[in-house]
Amino acid sequence: MEKTSTDAFPFTMNSSEKQETICIFGTGDFGRSLALKMLQCGYSIVFGSRNPQKSSLLPNGAEVLSYSEAARKSDIIIIAVHREHYGFLTELTEVLKGKTLVDISNNLKINQYPESNAEYLAQLVPGAHVVKAFNTISAWALQSGALDANRQVFVCGNDSKAKQRVMDIVRTLGLTPLDQGSLMAAKEIENYPLQLFPMWKFPFYLSAFLCVFFFFYCVIRDVIYPYVNSGKDSTFRMAISIPNRVFPIAALTLLALVYLPGVIAAILQLYRGTKYRRFPDWLDHWMLCRKQLGLVALGFASLHVLYTLVIPIRYYVRWTMKNRTITQATAKREDPFSTSTAWLSDSYVALGILGFFLFVLLGITSLPSVSNTVNWREFRFVQSKLGYLTLILCTAHTMVYGGKRFLSPSSLIWYLPSAYVIALIIPCIVLVIKFVLVLPCIDKTLTRIRQGWERNAKPTLNGERYLKQSSVHLDSEL
Amino acid sequence: MEKTSTDAFPFTMNSSEKQETICIFGTGDFGRSLALKMLQCGYSIVFGSRNPQKSSLLPNGAEVLSYSEAARKSDIIIIAVHREHYGFLTELTEVLKGKTLVDISNNLKINQYPESNAEYLAQLVPGAHVVKAFNTISAWALQSGALDANRQVFVCGNDSKAKQRVMDIVRTLGLTPLDQGSLMAAKEIENYPLQLFPMWKFPFYLSAFLCVFFFFYCVIRDVIYPYVNSGKDSTFRMAISIPNRVFPIAALTLLALVYLPGVIAAILQLYRGTKYRRFPDWLDHWMLCRKQLGLVALGFASLHVLYTLVIPIRYYVRWTMKNRTITQATAKREDPFSTSTAWLSDSYVALGILGFFLFVLLGITSLPSVSNTVNWREFRFVQSKLGYLTLILCTAHTMVYGGKRFLSPSSLIWYLPSAYVIALIIPCIVLVIKFVLVLPCIDKTLTRIRQGWERNAKPTLNGERYLKQSSVHLDSEL
Amino acid sequence: MEKTSTDAFPFTMNSSEKQETICIFGTGDFGRSLALKMLQCGYSIVFGSRNPQKSSLLPNGAEVLSYSEAARKSDIIIIAVHREHYGFLTELTEVLKGKTLVDISNNLKINQYPESNAEYLAQLVPGAHVVKAFNTISAWALQSGALDANRQVFVCGNDSKAKQRVMDIVRTLGLTPLDQGSLMAAKEIENYPLQLFPMWKFPFYLSAFLCVFFFFYCVIRDVIYPYVNSGKDSTFRMAISIPNRVFPIAALTLLALVYLPGVIAAILQLYRGTKYRRFPDWLDHWMLCRKQLGLVALGFASLHVLYTLVIPIRYYVRWTMKNRTITQATAKREDPFSTSTAWLSDSYVALGILGFFLFVLLGITSLPSVSNTVNWREFRFVQSKLGYLTLILCTAHTMVYGGKRFLSPSSLIWYLPSAYVIALIIPCIVLVIKFVLVLPCIDKTLTRIRQGWERNAKPTLNGERYLKQSSVHLDSEL
């Protein structure tokens, strides 16, 4: 029963070959989009529907039959129906025996059901080969060519041959299949499209905490103290002056926290004398979200740069400078020029610019398309060597900013030191430990451990030693 | 007849397997580059030429024969000849029967001929399977490894098996084949390499119009009016001051125009009570170029930021500030500090910075490699939620910029309001409508419509209802 | 002999199909990572080891046997052993006959051995098909899903069928195989992961030379001269003022050097009257690293922008301006406003901003993911047309900066002209030659040459003429 439609897409015809037929159960939005795309790529499509006569809106060229009739026409059946309606499939067990069922369903919440939809489907129709696929692709992306949205299709299933056939279809549709193993991976694949930046959660909450803490710290020193002491209203500082203290502090602290897990891991490996024991979970997780931490730090650094560059166009700054000039002009008094102040001011600014410049370079190389064009050695050179140089420059920038006032007791307000002094604690710790770790004697031991050497290895294992060390593949650094 | 050449590329030899042979008609630049690449990837190459004895410059390892002899050696024949010279193929109809002809030709103009070159070829040699491919790849990209230029090869053809074989060859060459369906798609594929940013045309012309209009609007207010009124020459304002009004206006207007089609579409869907009717063409086209509109807006916003940050180093600004200070110093008069002005000035700047920062984040996530690593929900979160936050921040930035002068009659010049007041019209309309649309009662109806519910659906169709709603795939938002 | 392990990855089981078995010689880090990944993707793994009883830490599900037993179980054997230990393979020649050996080894230095490891392996085991693969992938990238690091696997080998099977495995692991031809390419593939930005070397050294030269040039003019002449200490200028002269000079010179090889090549082609003769090696190399030259220039331009924008917050600048104002206020003298100075100052800044803006656009389009979405014509439009516009704007920016002082003898210090005058030499040469080359009469000849026309072609070759010109594919520009 041919459907007519207004869609006028080119699809393959006059072919001397018999085309492969794919069956789709369910005529919903996504089923139709998938059918249209498959027709365009040269497949024959047959829909399975409860009321084949009633179906409308189907793409031109697709047939609509009853479920069992449709299933008989193809070895591959795409189940484009919500999990709640899978029940009817039990009646088709006989027809579906040995066929490949492609589960494309998604849930509304993460871990909504005890088992994944695909595993549930495999239980309902025991004779069929269930493959999970297509759930990360949107109908919209299928229709508009998937240039922008994600083209990756995660595929998993217990039957390799069925999985392979589904992956071939994915490839023919111009998408990229990624084999995720057996059906046990289905739960993770079904959760994937419901996730909202899981790796960004820790960096986000951490930076939110840092911002709130330092914001109130600065409010106490810069707004409440002057008000209590001299009744001065400096609330307007909360718009720019105080954020421009909070942002660089957050940036520097987060940047140091990118490199802290690496030195902790190195200490652990030195202490244990082997790399073959797993790190604690918190350290593992921390190390996996270093990139995100670094990018959040870069965001704060960029804000700091913008907030700093607008300083001269702020009313407060212009008013202050004008009045100071007027006061001096009235008093006919000129300040002498201080070369040391000029040196401090200029080197503080120059260190900041160079640090920010390297930081942006690090950010650019962490773009997926850029990091894909560099080899492993180049990637490590940029992320490790340039990263530490950035940390050193930014720490020096903050220290020179303090300049002569640094650690002077006069800058204590209510016994509270300046905020930037607190910001320097973690970076300095990281840099000092790293400095110790690169000392030749310690570095040598660490390198041996990372190439597979074990301090307490039994001598009987020596025969295997060379195999353990084989294929170091340059990833000896964490 | 072996050719000798100075090229010393490694190509497969000593193979225990018989290599696949590919025939190339035509010994031009592109044919030779393709041959060289194929030789490197393990194919045998035979050239078909009118005068096989005269051919030179051919890659080492390729054979050159007459057309019919060469065609007999392979099932796949690449036609590396201009369309105007296809004529000679009619004489070879017998030899080419059942073979796969790959049309790689391009034209000099879009829609140069009534039918595509590939369809013309299929008419000339009716017995052969014509496949269109390789026309988007340049000889240079083939030789230099195609790291930079486009690696995508659009493929189309009526015979699935022939098409599949060509796609396998494309993959072996390290390129990415994209199946575009039947030979009817050849016209579009042939036009593709001749296009010059088709999706950018509307944003480009729109922004050019906005810029020119507001430029002259500002010239009237800021250059002509002072000249007519007081004979003051302020033409120098056309270099920085006026562009720095035009750019933010263009940026804000274009950003609002990114979100306007979405709210129009929502209103249309609410009015029609269904999502199963197509939008008018202008709305469809508008929605497809929202990304480009947004990026143009980001460009203008970046220019606005740079033009603003250079304000303090402009001669005009320095001169004005110096003279004002001198005047006040001579009069021995100091301005009192106004906390409310400080608040207005600082929050205006802070809103602008935060808006620009989010805008840049939006721009970064629209980079293909970044948007490919986020799932659909994350992409929508960034583009929709963060996008509206950006629009709100930028609109607020413009409003606070106006500050106390906003809508005051004294800022009218020749009955013309300030340019930024005009710039606020569209953003405010978009934000007000969006605010209405997210009210719970309206949002609920809209969500149901987008999940497939129809207001006027006939009750007899209820049996199909669950199928319509299946596989929402999170794309309920436009 | 089954191994037990704590790893709990999902891998394929219950399959109705017999899985493909892969054998891995060597139980080192990389061998184990590869095994784990392959198990997850549905392969059976058997390890070959000298002491199968002693092996530990192997992934769950893998078998460990002696070398010969393991080799008998699979057609594909991955050699995860260092080259120095390949010796034992000679004893297995009989077992390995006809099998595919995958060499995954890396060296510690570029060109460490006279022949590549893979070729050495092929000599040791003459009966086997050696394929080089996987050496660019790190164990860490395999385990963490290879999202960040390089997913490209370079593959080469003399036997097409063996190579094809290895490429299929690569694809199944979610990686991207790139066929590099015969085993002769193995040396290059083995050197690849040891390279450190080979294309960046020339731009890096060139820019380092430019920076050092111009830094000392400026130190002589701005620090030593004032000290010698008037004993003034202006060493603080070395932090910001002098870098802010060196960076724009380096940026402009490097940008001009991006376009210089193109015009040299055009002159060569016009002189030779053909495009079918190779360019000298230095020109070839120069043309291949134009992108890197441009990106380094963009880096310097960005630094110049940041250094310029911080000018108003420098102590030296604030002090100078304040004192000048005080002096004038004390003398009760106001400067008259100069419209021409305002024009010069503003247009200098505006040209710089627009030039920098276009430069950033060029940089963004050279990101791999962006350049992959544009077609060849669009890429050339951006890189050639917009590139020259950028060069013109930046050259004009530098000229207007000079303004009235440009080439005036008063700016000579110790007979040395200002540094920016020297910076203008190469850009002006490039722009003048390019202007001559786009004159219609010359441009026409050049286009014909680039389409395959030869000035001295023999008339007897005319029959082949149309084939030479076929498939111009828009790459007529260099």
Side-chain angles (χ1 to χ4, degrees):
Chain A
M1 197 182 74
E2 287 292 307
K3 291 278 133 193
T4 55
S5 136
T6 53
D7 296 303
F9 281 86
F11 50 90
T12 306
M13 30 185 188
N14 322 335
S15 173
S16 60
E17 295 287 310
K18 227 184 112 289
Q19 300 164 344
E20 198 176 356
T21 300
I22 294 176
C23 168
I24 299 177
F25 277 11
T27 55
D29 243 33
F30 191 70
R32 290 203 306 272
S33 300
L34 207 53
L36 185 59
K37 185 79 189 170
M38 285 171 164
L39 282 165
Q40 289 173 254
C41 293
Y43 291 101
S44 285
I45 297 297
V46 56
F47 278 102
S49 170
R50 185 182 292 189
N51 300 308
Q53 285 75 21
K54 295 279 157 54
S55 301
S56 59
L57 288 156
L58 295 181
N60 196 358
E63 223 178 334
V64 189
L65 300 171
S66 73
Y67 288 132
S68 57
E69 282 175 301
R72 254 182 277 273
K73 292 230 173 182
S74 167
D75 281 348
I76 295 186
I77 294 143
I78 292 169
I79 312 295
V81 171
H82 270 309
R83 176 195 173 115
E84 301 90 63
H85 307 292
Y86 280 3
F88 77 94
L89 292 165
T90 51
E91 304 157 19
L92 302 165
T93 315
E94 267 314 295
V95 189
L96 300 178
K97 199 156 212 166
K99 308 224 162 183
T100 300
L101 302 189
V102 185
D103 185 303
I104 64 168
S105 62
N106 271 323
N107 295 322
L108 296 170
K109 280 184 301 195
I110 286 184
N111 294 327
Q112 195 173 0
Y113 299 100
E115 81 282 75
S116 70
N117 300 353
E119 286 167 304
Y120 172 67
L121 179 63
Q123 286 163 24
L124 282 180
V125 197
H129 306 306
V130 173
V131 174
K132 180 89 208 175
F134 288 114
N135 68 312
T136 53
I137 297 290
S138 74
W140 186 83
L142 273 177
Q143 283 164 351
S144 64
L147 280 172
D148 273 293
N150 209 315
R151 268 201 275 202
Q152 293 175 344
V153 175
F154 298 105
V155 181
C156 76
N158 288 336
D159 186 274
S160 347
K161 206 174 177 185
K163 190 161 63 174
Q164 205 55 52
R165 282 192 66 188
V166 173
M167 286 172 74
D168 286 342
I169 295 171
V170 170
R171 242 178 246 120
T172 308
L173 300 187
L175 304 164
T176 313
L178 286 175
D179 193 329
Q180 301 291 301
S182 80
L183 218 49
M184 285 165 67
K187 196 167 195 79
E188 209 181 314
I189 296 178
E190 287 173 13
N191 282 337
Y192 175 77
L194 299 166
Q195 287 171 344
L196 195 59
F197 298 111
M199 298 309 293
W200 291 86
K201 251 173 210 157
F202 172 62
F204 177 80
Y205 286 120
L206 179 64
S207 55
F209 166 77
L210 283 174
C211 283
V212 170
F213 173 79
F214 280 106
F215 185 81
F216 284 109
Y217 190 92
C218 291
V219 164
I220 290 172
R221 275 181 54 105
D222 294 343
V223 177
I224 298 179
Y225 176 81
Y227 184 75
V228 169
N229 238 33
S230 50
K232 223 172 104 188
D233 176 10
S234 37
T235 48
F236 71 92
R237 284 171 170 277
M238 290 193 289
I240 293 196
S241 308
I242 291 179
N244 200 20
R245 293 198 184 174
V246 172
F247 292 153
I249 288 172
L252 185 59
T253 309
L254 289 171
L255 182 61
L257 291 178
V258 169
Y259 293 97
L260 188 53
V263 298
I264 293 178
I267 292 171
L268 262 180
Q269 288 182 335
L270 277 174
Y271 174 76
R272 292 169 168 179
T274 175
K275 74 162 184 173
Y276 294 113
R277 276 171 59 195
R278 291 196 56 179
F279 294 126
D281 275 348
W282 58 267
L283 189 57
D284 254 354
H285 183 72
W286 190 353
M287 287 174 67
L288 282 174
C289 67
R290 283 180 293 178
K291 178 179 164 182
Q292 284 75 15
L293 276 172
L295 289 175
V296 172
L298 178 57
F300 282 121
S302 311
L303 282 173
H304 168 51
V305 167
L306 285 173
Y307 272 90
T308 302
L309 292 178
V310 297
I311 285 176
I313 55 175
R314 289 174 62 200
Y315 163 77
Y316 168 69
V317 174
R318 288 187 167 182
W319 180 87
T320 309
M321 291 187 65
K322 192 171 72 179
N323 273 29
R324 206 176 293 160
T325 312
I326 292 172
T327 311
Q328 289 194 13
T330 315
K332 295 195 198 310
R333 180 175 51 78
E334 286 190 20
D335 277 339
F337 182 73
S338 153
T339 308
S340 71
T341 309
W343 258 113
L344 268 181
S345 147
D346 276 11
S347 52
Y348 148 65
V349 169
L351 283 168
I353 292 176
L354 293 175
F356 179 68
F357 180 75
L358 285 185
F359 209 162
V360 170
L361 270 193
L362 286 177
I364 291 173
T365 53
S366 76
L367 283 173
S369 67
V370 177
S371 60
N372 276 345
T373 60
V374 298
N375 68 35
W376 191 242
R377 190 176 165 216
E378 293 163 347
F379 186 74
R380 275 212 22 244
F381 173 80
V382 170
Q383 295 296 328
S384 174
K385 298 281 192 306
L386 286 195
Y388 268 105
L389 187 55
T390 307
L391 183 58
I392 291 170
L393 284 173
C394 293
T395 309
H397 165 71
T398 313
M399 279 175 165
V400 177
Y401 166 74
K404 296 165 185 164
R405 292 163 303 162
F406 189 53
L407 291 183
S408 96
S410 69
S411 62
L412 289 183
I413 288 178
W414 285 343
Y415 305 106
L416 297 174
S418 291
Y420 73 89
V421 177
I422 302 174
L424 281 168
I425 297 172
I426 302 179
C428 289
I429 292 173
V430 171
L431 288 177
V432 166
I433 303 180
K434 182 71 187 176
F435 178 74
V436 173
L437 287 174
V438 296
L439 292 178
C441 52
I442 296 176
D443 187 49
K444 206 176 139 194
T445 314
L446 197 57
T447 305
R448 282 172 69 200
I449 288 173
R450 284 175 177 170
Q451 287 175 353
W453 176 81
E454 287 175 82
R455 196 187 292 137
N456 305 314
K458 285 171 247 157
T460 53
L461 276 172
N462 266 353
E464 281 302 294
R465 183 68 41 229
Y466 76 87
L467 294 169
K468 277 243 172 73
Q469 289 183 31
S470 71
S471 307
V472 175
H473 279 257
L474 296 160
D475 51 349
S476 56
E477 178 101 15
L478 284 158
Chain B
M1 196 182 76
E2 286 292 307
K3 291 276 134 191
T4 55
S5 135
T6 53
D7 296 301
F9 281 86
F11 50 92
T12 306
M13 30 187 189
N14 322 334
S15 173
S16 59
E17 294 288 310
K18 225 183 113 290
Q19 299 166 343
E20 198 176 355
T21 300
I22 294 175
C23 168
I24 299 177
F25 276 12
T27 55
D29 242 35
F30 191 70
R32 292 201 307 271
S33 299
L34 207 53
L36 184 60
K37 185 79 188 172
M38 285 171 164
L39 282 166
Q40 288 173 255
C41 293
Y43 291 100
S44 285
I45 297 298
V46 57
F47 278 101
S49 170
R50 184 181 294 189
N51 300 308
Q53 285 76 21
K54 296 277 157 55
S55 300
S56 59
L57 288 156
L58 295 182
N60 196 357
E63 223 177 335
V64 189
L65 301 170
S66 73
Y67 288 132
S68 56
E69 282 174 301
R72 255 182 277 272
K73 292 230 172 182
S74 167
D75 281 347
I76 296 186
I77 294 143
I78 292 170
I79 311 295
V81 172
H82 270 309
R83 178 197 171 113
E84 301 89 64
H85 307 291
Y86 281 2
F88 76 94
L89 292 165
T90 52
E91 304 156 20
L92 301 165
T93 316
E94 267 314 296
V95 188
L96 300 177
K97 197 156 214 168
K99 308 225 161 182
T100 301
L101 303 189
V102 186
D103 184 303
I104 63 168
S105 62
N106 271 323
N107 295 322
L108 295 171
K109 280 185 300 193
I110 286 185
N111 294 327
Q112 195 172 359
Y113 299 99
E115 79 284 74
S116 69
N117 300 353
E119 287 168 304
Y120 171 67
L121 179 63
Q123 286 164 23
L124 281 180
V125 196
H129 307 306
V130 173
V131 174
K132 179 90 207 175
F134 288 114
N135 69 312
T136 54
I137 299 291
S138 74
W140 187 84
L142 274 177
Q143 283 164 350
S144 65
L147 281 172
D148 274 293
N150 209 314
R151 267 202 275 203
Q152 293 175 345
V153 175
F154 297 105
V155 181
C156 76
N158 287 336
D159 185 275
S160 347
K161 206 173 177 185
K163 189 161 62 175
Q164 205 55 54
R165 282 190 67 187
V166 173
M167 287 172 73
D168 286 342
I169 295 171
V170 170
R171 241 178 247 120
T172 308
L173 301 187
L175 305 164
T176 313
L178 286 175
D179 193 330
Q180 300 291 301
S182 79
L183 217 50
M184 284 165 66
K187 195 165 195 80
E188 210 180 315
I189 296 177
E190 287 174 10
N191 282 337
Y192 175 77
L194 299 166
Q195 288 170 344
L196 196 58
F197 297 111
M199 298 308 293
W200 291 85
K201 252 175 209 155
F202 171 61
F204 176 79
Y205 287 120
L206 180 63
S207 56
F209 167 77
L210 283 174
C211 283
V212 170
F213 174 78
F214 279 106
F215 185 81
F216 284 109
Y217 190 92
C218 291
V219 164
I220 290 172
R221 275 181 55 105
D222 295 343
V223 177
I224 298 179
Y225 175 82
Y227 184 76
V228 169
N229 238 31
S230 49
K232 223 172 104 189
D233 175 10
S234 36
T235 47
F236 71 91
R237 283 172 171 276
M238 290 194 289
I240 292 196
S241 310
I242 291 179
N244 201 21
R245 291 196 187 176
V246 172
F247 292 152
I249 288 172
L252 185 60
T253 308
L254 289 171
L255 182 61
L257 291 178
V258 169
Y259 293 98
L260 189 53
V263 300
I264 293 178
I267 292 171
L268 261 180
Q269 288 182 333
L270 278 174
Y271 173 75
R272 292 169 169 179
T274 176
K275 72 160 184 175
Y276 294 111
R277 276 171 59 195
R278 291 196 57 178
F279 294 127
D281 275 348
W282 58 268
L283 189 57
D284 254 354
H285 183 72
W286 191 353
M287 286 174 66
L288 283 174
C289 67
R290 284 181 292 178
K291 178 179 163 182
Q292 284 76 14
L293 276 173
L295 289 175
V296 173
L298 178 56
F300 283 120
S302 311
L303 282 173
H304 168 50
V305 167
L306 285 173
Y307 272 90
T308 302
L309 292 178
V310 298
I311 285 177
I313 54 175
R314 290 175 61 200
Y315 163 77
Y316 168 69
V317 174
R318 289 187 167 180
W319 181 87
T320 309
M321 290 187 64
K322 192 171 74 178
N323 273 28
R324 207 176 293 160
T325 311
I326 292 172
T327 311
Q328 287 194 14
T330 316
K332 295 195 197 311
R333 181 176 49 81
E334 288 190 18
D335 277 340
F337 182 72
S338 155
T339 309
S340 71
T341 309
W343 259 112
L344 268 180
S345 147
D346 277 11
S347 52
Y348 147 64
V349 169
L351 283 169
I353 292 176
L354 294 174
F356 179 67
F357 180 74
L358 286 185
F359 210 161
V360 171
L361 270 193
L362 286 177
I364 291 173
T365 53
S366 76
L367 283 174
S369 68
V370 176
S371 60
N372 276 345
T373 60
V374 298
N375 68 35
W376 191 242
R377 191 177 165 215
E378 292 163 346
F379 186 75
R380 276 213 21 243
F381 173 80
V382 170
Q383 295 297 328
S384 173
K385 298 279 193 305
L386 285 195
Y388 268 105
L389 187 54
T390 307
L391 183 58
I392 291 171
L393 284 172
C394 293
T395 310
H397 165 71
T398 313
M399 280 176 165
V400 177
Y401 166 73
K404 295 164 185 164
R405 294 163 301 164
F406 188 54
L407 292 184
S408 95
S410 68
S411 61
L412 290 184
I413 289 179
W414 285 343
Y415 305 106
L416 297 174
S418 292
Y420 74 89
V421 177
I422 301 175
L424 281 168
I425 297 172
I426 301 179
C428 289
I429 292 174
V430 172
L431 288 176
V432 167
I433 302 181
K434 182 71 186 176
F435 178 75
V436 173
L437 287 174
V438 295
L439 292 178
C441 52
I442 295 175
D443 186 49
K444 207 176 138 193
T445 314
L446 197 57
T447 306
R448 283 174 68 200
I449 288 173
R450 284 175 177 170
Q451 288 176 352
W453 177 80
E454 287 174 80
R455 197 188 292 136
N456 305 313
K458 285 172 246 158
T460 53
L461 275 172
N462 267 354
E464 280 302 293
R465 184 67 41 230
Y466 76 87
L467 294 169
K468 278 241 171 74
Q469 290 183 31
S470 70
S471 306
V472 174
H473 279 256
L474 295 160
D475 52 349
S476 55
E477 178 101 14
L478 285 157
Chain C
M1 197 182 76
E2 288 292 307
K3 290 277 133 192
T4 55
S5 136
T6 53
D7 296 303
F9 282 86
F11 50 89
T12 306
M13 30 184 191
N14 322 333
S15 173
S16 60
E17 295 288 309
K18 225 184 113 292
Q19 301 164 344
E20 199 177 354
T21 300
I22 293 175
C23 168
I24 299 177
F25 277 11
T27 54
D29 241 33
F30 191 69
R32 291 202 307 272
S33 299
L34 206 54
L36 185 59
K37 185 78 189 171
M38 285 172 164
L39 282 165
Q40 288 172 256
C41 293
Y43 291 100
S44 285
I45 296 298
V46 56
F47 278 102
S49 171
R50 184 182 292 188
N51 300 308
Q53 285 76 22
K54 295 278 157 54
S55 301
S56 59
L57 287 157
L58 295 182
N60 197 357
E63 224 177 335
V64 189
L65 301 171
S66 72
Y67 288 132
S68 56
E69 282 175 301
R72 254 181 277 274
K73 292 230 173 182
S74 168
D75 279 349
I76 295 186
I77 294 145
I78 292 169
I79 311 296
V81 172
H82 270 309
R83 177 196 172 114
E84 301 90 65
H85 307 291
Y86 281 2
F88 76 94
L89 292 165
T90 51
E91 304 157 18
L92 301 165
T93 315
E94 267 314 296
V95 189
L96 299 178
K97 198 156 213 168
K99 308 224 162 182
T100 300
L101 303 189
V102 185
D103 184 302
I104 63 168
S105 62
N106 271 324
N107 295 322
L108 296 171
K109 280 185 299 194
I110 287 185
N111 294 328
Q112 195 173 1
Y113 299 100
E115 80 284 75
S116 69
N117 300 352
E119 286 168 304
Y120 172 66
L121 179 62
Q123 287 163 22
L124 281 180
V125 197
H129 306 306
V130 174
V131 173
K132 179 88 208 177
F134 288 114
N135 68 312
T136 54
I137 298 292
S138 73
W140 187 84
L142 273 177
Q143 284 163 351
S144 64
L147 280 171
D148 274 294
N150 209 316
R151 268 202 274 202
Q152 293 175 345
V153 175
F154 297 105
V155 181
C156 75
N158 288 336
D159 185 274
S160 346
K161 207 173 177 185
K163 189 161 63 173
Q164 205 55 53
R165 282 191 68 187
V166 174
M167 286 172 74
D168 286 342
I169 295 171
V170 171
R171 241 177 247 122
T172 309
L173 301 187
L175 304 164
T176 313
L178 287 175
D179 193 330
Q180 300 292 301
S182 80
L183 217 50
M184 284 165 67
K187 194 164 196 80
E188 209 181 314
I189 296 178
E190 287 173 12
N191 282 338
Y192 175 78
L194 298 165
Q195 288 170 345
L196 195 59
F197 299 110
M199 298 308 293
W200 292 85
K201 251 172 211 157
F202 171 62
F204 176 79
Y205 287 119
L206 179 63
S207 55
F209 166 76
L210 283 174
C211 283
V212 169
F213 174 78
F214 280 106
F215 185 80
F216 284 109
Y217 190 92
C218 291
V219 164
I220 290 172
R221 276 181 54 104
D222 296 343
V223 177
I224 297 179
Y225 175 81
Y227 184 77
V228 170
N229 238 32
S230 50
K232 223 171 104 188
D233 174 10
S234 36
T235 48
F236 71 91
R237 284 172 171 276
M238 290 194 288
I240 292 197
S241 308
I242 291 179
N244 201 21
R245 291 196 187 176
V246 173
F247 292 152
I249 288 172
L252 185 60
T253 308
L254 289 171
L255 181 61
L257 291 177
V258 169
Y259 293 97
L260 188 52
V263 299
I264 293 178
I267 292 171
L268 262 179
Q269 288 182 334
L270 278 174
Y271 174 76
R272 293 168 168 181
T274 175
K275 72 162 185 175
Y276 294 113
R277 275 172 59 196
R278 291 197 58 179
F279 295 126
D281 276 348
W282 56 269
L283 189 57
D284 253 355
H285 183 71
W286 190 353
M287 286 175 67
L288 282 174
C289 67
R290 282 180 295 178
K291 178 179 163 182
Q292 283 76 15
L293 276 173
L295 289 176
V296 172
L298 179 56
F300 282 121
S302 311
L303 282 172
H304 169 50
V305 167
L306 284 173
Y307 271 90
T308 302
L309 292 178
V310 297
I311 285 177
I313 54 175
R314 288 175 62 200
Y315 163 77
Y316 168 69
V317 174
R318 288 188 168 181
W319 180 87
T320 311
M321 291 186 65
K322 193 171 72 179
N323 272 29
R324 206 176 293 159
T325 312
I326 292 172
T327 312
Q328 288 194 13
T330 315
K332 293 196 197 313
R333 181 176 50 80
E334 287 189 19
D335 277 340
F337 182 74
S338 153
T339 307
S340 71
T341 310
W343 259 112
L344 267 181
S345 147
D346 277 11
S347 52
Y348 148 65
V349 169
L351 283 168
I353 292 177
L354 294 174
F356 179 67
F357 180 75
L358 285 185
F359 209 162
V360 171
L361 271 193
L362 286 177
I364 291 174
T365 53
S366 76
L367 282 173
S369 68
V370 176
S371 61
N372 276 345
T373 61
V374 298
N375 67 35
W376 192 241
R377 191 178 165 213
E378 292 163 347
F379 187 74
R380 277 215 19 245
F381 173 81
V382 171
Q383 295 296 328
S384 173
K385 298 280 192 307
L386 285 194
Y388 269 105
L389 187 55
T390 307
L391 183 58
I392 291 170
L393 284 172
C394 293
T395 310
H397 165 71
T398 312
M399 281 176 163
V400 177
Y401 165 74
K404 296 164 186 165
R405 294 163 300 162
F406 189 54
L407 292 183
S408 96
S410 69
S411 61
L412 290 183
I413 289 179
W414 285 342
Y415 304 106
L416 297 174
S418 293
Y420 74 89
V421 177
I422 301 174
L424 281 168
I425 297 171
I426 302 179
C428 289
I429 293 174
V430 171
L431 288 176
V432 166
I433 302 181
K434 181 72 186 176
F435 177 75
V436 173
L437 287 174
V438 295
L439 291 179
C441 51
I442 295 175
D443 186 50
K444 207 176 139 193
T445 314
L446 197 57
T447 306
R448 282 173 70 199
I449 288 173
R450 283 175 179 171
Q451 287 175 354
W453 177 80
E454 286 174 82
R455 198 188 292 136
N456 305 315
K458 285 172 249 158
T460 53
L461 274 172
N462 266 353
E464 280 302 293
R465 182 69 38 232
Y466 75 88
L467 293 169
K468 276 240 173 75
Q469 289 183 31
S470 69
S471 306
V472 174
H473 279 258
L474 296 160
D475 51 350
S476 56
E477 178 101 16
L478 285 157

